[in-house]
Amino acid sequence: METLFFLIVAAIAVISSILVITNKNPLNSALSLIMTFFCLATLYVMLEAPFMAAIQIIVYAGAIMVLFVFVIMLLNVRTESARRGKHALFLGTMTGLLLLIQTWYTIGRGSVAGMKGPVDSALISKVGHTELIGKSLFTDFLLPFEITSILLLAAMVGAVILSKKKL
């Protein structure tokens, strides 16, 4: 039953991610991206990572997509009326096929879960996902975390400055 549920969720994720690229209307593309995010959150729950699933929903499907939809509505983006060139379609198809072949090769010849780390399922069930992520974030990855917060602050200041110039 789990395998069937996984296949259904994976198929919906793949179809909605294809719709993100192929939709001509940017709002429909954004809604398809939200569906892809929900499918990814479902896959996180199936991998027994509820914290990551909640963050996927709150941060990406919630906050980021609200910003995307706000920008789409603010800019009043029109649908693309010009036809794409045949060279772009050919190049995109060839790139997609090469990536598909590379993925099959990597999965077939490599070992997906070969490396073992210090965190195993017994430690996760004993301590918990959130505590392990928090300890790792604020001890081992403190510098990248702080650099990311400074970059986000600079982006917010830049957005405010750019919006003030247009008024």
Side-chain angles (χ1 to χ4, degrees):
M1 195 65 181
E2 287 181 17
T3 306
L4 178 66
F5 184 68
F6 169 77
L7 290 174
I8 291 170
V9 171
I12 293 171
V14 168
I15 290 169
S16 63
S17 63
I18 289 172
L19 287 175
V20 169
I21 313 170
T22 57
N23 273 331
K24 296 205 184 289
N25 187 348
L27 192 58
N28 290 340
S29 183
L31 291 174
S32 296
L33 188 59
I34 290 172
M35 176 58 79
T36 305
F37 287 153
F38 276 108
C39 289
L40 288 177
T42 305
L43 293 175
Y44 280 135
V45 169
M46 290 178 69
L47 289 172
E48 297 178 5
F51 180 74
M52 291 303 296
I55 293 300
Q56 179 77 24
I57 297 292
I58 293 169
V59 173
Y60 290 110
I64 301 295
M65 287 312 299
V66 166
L67 288 175
F68 279 8
V69 171
F70 179 70
V71 167
I72 289 170
M73 295 298 185
L74 183 69
L75 295 178
N76 199 11
V77 177
R78 303 268 191 257
T79 59
E80 181 182 338
S81 60
R83 293 191 58 192
R84 296 182 194 181
K86 292 189 179 199
H87 65 282
L89 182 64
F90 175 74
L91 185 64
T93 304
M94 293 310 294
T95 304
L97 286 175
L98 285 174
L99 284 173
L100 184 64
I101 291 169
Q102 181 183 9
T103 303
W104 277 337
Y105 179 78
T106 303
I107 290 174
R109 305 225 19 165
S111 93
V112 177
M115 294 187 65
K116 299 289 183 189
V119 178
D120 58 352
S121 59
L123 181 64
I124 291 173
S125 63
K126 178 181 163 191
V127 177
H129 292 280
T130 310
E131 186 175 342
L132 285 173
I133 290 173
K135 279 184 181 177
S136 177
L137 186 64
F138 291 114
T139 56
D140 300 332
F141 300 103
L142 183 62
L143 182 63
F145 180 75
E146 291 298 326
I147 290 172
T148 304
S149 66
I150 291 171
L151 285 173
L152 287 173
L153 179 65
M156 285 192 314
V157 169
V160 168
I161 289 172
L162 286 174
S163 67
K164 288 291 183 182
K165 283 185 180 179
K166 292 189 179 193
L167 292 177

